[in-house]
Amino acid sequence: MIGCGAMGTALGLRLLGLSWEVRVYNRSPERTAPLRDAGASAHATPAEAVAGADWVATVLTDSAALRALLFCDQGIASVPAAGRRLVDLGTHQPAQLAALGAESAAAGWPLVEAPMTGSVHDASHGTLHFLVGGAEEDVEWASPLLWALGRGVHHLGGLGAGNTAKLALNLLVGVMAGGLGEAIALLRAHGLAVDSFLDALDGSGLASPLYRRLGQRYLDGDHAPRFSLANLEKDLRWECEHALASGLQPRLAPALCRLLGPLTEEAKRRDYSALIAHLAGEPSC
């Protein structure tokens, strides 16, 4: 497992709980501590972590970070793949990911993209779904790892397809959070009970676990980061760029970006549920 942020750590702990042997690398070595304490072996270079591993998975911030891990001195590509594939679980700009996939394959490491739907909680409990792009034989090779980590593997097409779907999904996340925030603002303006509204919403045709989860976080004042506003803004910006490159004229994603842009960096470190509090007029948001 290369990349030991919140999601990479949760995924590594999941595999350790299934009695897998886990080898880890992170550019900042101290971030491997939770996995080391749980029984993983930490390594000084990507090449060292990859050597001897049956599967190689990365959870990184963007394609530039993935390229660096592949092609740096003692990077992944310095080790023969020996039939293995590189399984990337992060979110990327689709065109950049597809281009990097060609470079990776030329270096002997076919790439499978498998961005995740879900949070750290889902990673810990094995309830993630994966939006997968890559060649059929490469996806088939990666499937045992993905099924160990989650409960849904959805092969959508070639490289870039998985991240296109992930950006589309996160657009819906932003739209749903923003819509719920404006709805709650209207309720508050008229002194109506938000909890009663959420109960009614649960019983309607609009019922959604996401509405319930976000609404409850709003009521509890719980904005501890699971998926930060900064990451939502980044993905919405990428969705805008990808839509424009596809000949489309995005409207909702740019509007959400304009809404998020003026927020402070501190505010953007909060969970995206804080968008509801912001739209509802909470002074702390």
Side-chain angles (χ1 to χ4, degrees):
M1 183 68 65
I2 296 180
C4 300
M7 288 298 283
T9 296
L11 293 168
L13 292 172
R14 164 76 180 168
L15 292 174
L16 287 166
L18 295 173
S19 299
W20 286 44
E21 180 184 345
V22 177
R23 304 163 65 88
V24 299
Y25 168 81
N26 196 80
R27 186 174 56 182
S28 302
E30 65 274 9
R31 301 199 72 175
T32 66
L35 286 165
R36 283 190 284 109
D37 292 345
S41 59
H43 299 274
T45 67
E48 186 181 307
V50 165
D54 294 325
W55 281 275
V56 180
T58 54
V59 191
L60 302 169
T61 54
D62 55 29
S63 296
L66 181 56
R67 176 177 280 105
L69 265 293
L70 267 165
F71 298 115
C72 68
D73 183 41
Q74 295 297 304
I76 295 170
S78 68
V79 178
R84 295 172 295 176
R85 279 72 165 173
L86 176 60
V87 183
D88 183 79
L89 306 174
T91 302
H92 299 268
Q93 292 168 287
Q96 290 187 9
L97 189 283
L100 181 55
E103 295 178 50
S104 183
W109 281 89
L111 180 63
V112 175
E113 59 171 339
M116 302 166 275
T117 72
S119 64
V120 170
H121 178 273
D122 297 297
S124 300
H125 291 80
T127 54
L128 293 168
H129 284 247
F130 296 94
L131 305 170
V132 184
E136 187 73 41
E137 61 272 21
D138 298 334
V139 173
E140 183 177 351
W141 182 91
S143 289
L145 171 65
L146 298 177
W147 281 109
L149 293 172
R151 65 180 182 189
V153 178
H154 311 278
H155 186 197
L156 298 167
L159 284 176
N163 275 284
T164 295
K166 178 62 181 290
L167 295 181
L169 184 144
N170 281 353
L171 170 61
L172 290 177
V173 166
V175 169
M176 291 177 74
L180 184 59
E182 286 210 358
I184 288 175
L186 182 62
L187 296 172
R188 282 170 47 89
H190 290 271
L192 303 182
V194 174
D195 54 352
S196 295
F197 174 79
L198 292 173
D199 289 341
L201 186 59
D202 284 342
S204 76
L206 295 174
S208 164
L210 183 62
Y211 282 141
R212 166 52 69 179
R213 185 161 60 245
L214 293 177
Q216 195 60 52
R217 288 179 194 168
Y218 165 77
L219 290 173
D220 295 341
D222 175 12
H223 304 308
R226 290 95 167 168
F227 176 51
S228 71
L229 281 170
N231 280 330
L232 175 61
E233 182 185 25
K234 177 259 297 177
D235 288 353
L236 289 168
R237 187 173 66 251
W238 285 357
E239 193 279 337
C240 290
E241 294 171 1
H242 193 43
L244 288 169
S246 304
L248 303 175
Q249 291 296 323
R251 295 174 177 84
L252 292 177
L256 287 165
C257 286
R258 288 192 296 271
L259 178 65
L260 294 170
L263 297 179
T264 66
E265 292 303 311
E266 180 181 0
K268 290 179 184 180
R269 285 194 288 269
R270 295 183 176 191
D271 187 70
Y272 74 103
S273 59
L275 177 60
I276 296 170
H278 174 65
L279 289 169
E282 299 287 344
S284 62
C285 299

